[in-house]
Amino acid sequence: MLTEAQRQEAAEAILQAEQSRIVCPQPSKTWPEMTLEDAYDVQRRWAEARVADGAKIVGRKIGLTSRAMQQASKMTEPDYGVILDDALFRDGARIKAGTFIKPRLEVELAFVMGADLIGAGCQVHDVLRATEYVTPALEIIDYRTEVPRQIVDTIADNAAYGAIVLGGRPVRPFDVDLRWLGATLSQNGNIEETGLSAGVMGHPAAGLAWLVNKLAAQGDGLKKGDIVLGGSFTRPVDIRSGDVIFADYGPLGAIGVSFE
């Protein structure tokens, strides 16, 4: 367990790395005794600093939702971070690749909450009832720490969140079978990845149910209007300046974005 001063020092190091675009040493390397509780508190301090600097928290992201990623990270459950409004883009955006250190991109679904969802015992059907609509989304992931990383490093680093791109056609959660939504991801005209949303814990809303139960222990939860990234159903694709990305979700439309 870290001291308050050590947690603050870790948060400030990650914030400085984000601002300078130069990775910092892994917190777990500096403090091998670091716990998951420490890591989430470092994340909270980082987010508070970003908010104090003018950003606004507009939702949550969930990571490590696939079994393969959990095994690779030696975790038995997902992790989570926050979404900030100054890293929120729309379909057709031209994004400066230099905003990030080493960006990668994943295909996901975003849930936009139509009602508060708070309390233990949350199930998938509770998530669907509280969701206003589901829409295609791309997550840009970016790490501010050196490698190799432990799970506590990733959590402290806001679960590697870089940015989110929203687009496509929103749908109400009961109008489609969310498990069977698929997508192809093209990079510069070549299809690099395909995936099915059932790859996210069997149902893309399952991660949100997990998150609500996790936050309940803190007296927190999801709020009306929150954007929640449910987790990737493709592997991450490296992004460079000059790349043109096109994610085709079939009946849910597509997202196109370019990097300069």
Side-chain angles (χ1 to χ4, degrees), residues 117-122 209-222:
L117 189 56
I118 300 173
C122 182
W210 169 85
L211 179 58
V212 171
N213 288 316
K214 198 74 173 176
L215 293 175
Q218 308 167 27
D220 199 1
L222 301 179

Side-chain angles (χ1 to χ4, degrees), residues 94-106:
R94 295 180 62 85
I95 302 172
K96 293 186 181 299
T99 303
F100 312 99
I101 297 174
K102 189 178 179 181
R104 295 188 292 169
L105 189 143
E106 298 177 332

Side-chain angles (χ1 to χ4, degrees), residues 1-152:
M1 186 73 72
L2 305 189
T3 66
E4 292 290 306
Q6 289 169 334
R7 289 178 174 184
Q8 186 63 30
E9 183 179 343
E12 290 174 359
I14 292 171
L15 185 64
Q16 176 60 32
E18 180 183 30
Q19 294 169 342
S20 67
R21 310 291 187 264
I22 300 173
V23 294
C24 64
Q26 315 91 311
S28 66
K29 183 177 180 181
T30 306
W31 300 286
E33 69 275 23
M34 190 175 194
T35 65
L36 292 179
E37 180 182 339
D38 290 324
Y40 278 115
D41 190 67
V42 170
Q43 180 192 118
R44 177 188 61 80
R45 292 166 187 261
W46 169 88
E48 287 178 349
R50 294 283 274 104
V51 169
D53 198 38
K56 179 182 177 182
I57 295 175
V58 294
R60 306 268 189 169
K61 68 146 288 184
I62 306 168
L64 300 181
T65 52
S66 74
R67 181 63 177 155
M69 288 301 293
Q70 289 179 13
Q71 289 177 329
S73 302
K74 298 180 180 179
M75 286 285 285
T76 58
E77 65 178 19
D79 65 359
Y80 64 87
V82 297
I83 296 174
L84 300 173
D85 65 340
D86 60 0
L88 174 61
F89 299 94
R90 301 288 175 176
D91 180 29
R94 295 180 62 85
I95 302 172
K96 293 186 181 299
T99 303
F100 312 99
I101 297 174
K102 189 178 179 181
R104 295 188 292 169
L105 189 143
E106 298 177 332
V107 173
E108 308 199 15
L109 292 173
F111 291 70
V112 178
M113 306 308 297
D116 293 353
L117 189 56
I118 300 173
C122 182
Q123 302 291 329
V124 166
H125 60 266
D126 299 311
V127 173
L128 299 181
R129 279 199 299 263
T131 299
E132 182 176 0
Y133 63 88
V134 179
T135 188
L138 301 176
E139 182 183 1
I140 300 169
I141 60 175
D142 198 28
Y143 289 94
R144 273 69 61 168
T145 66
E146 295 174 351
V147 293
R149 303 177 188 93
Q150 303 296 323
I151 186 59
V152 290

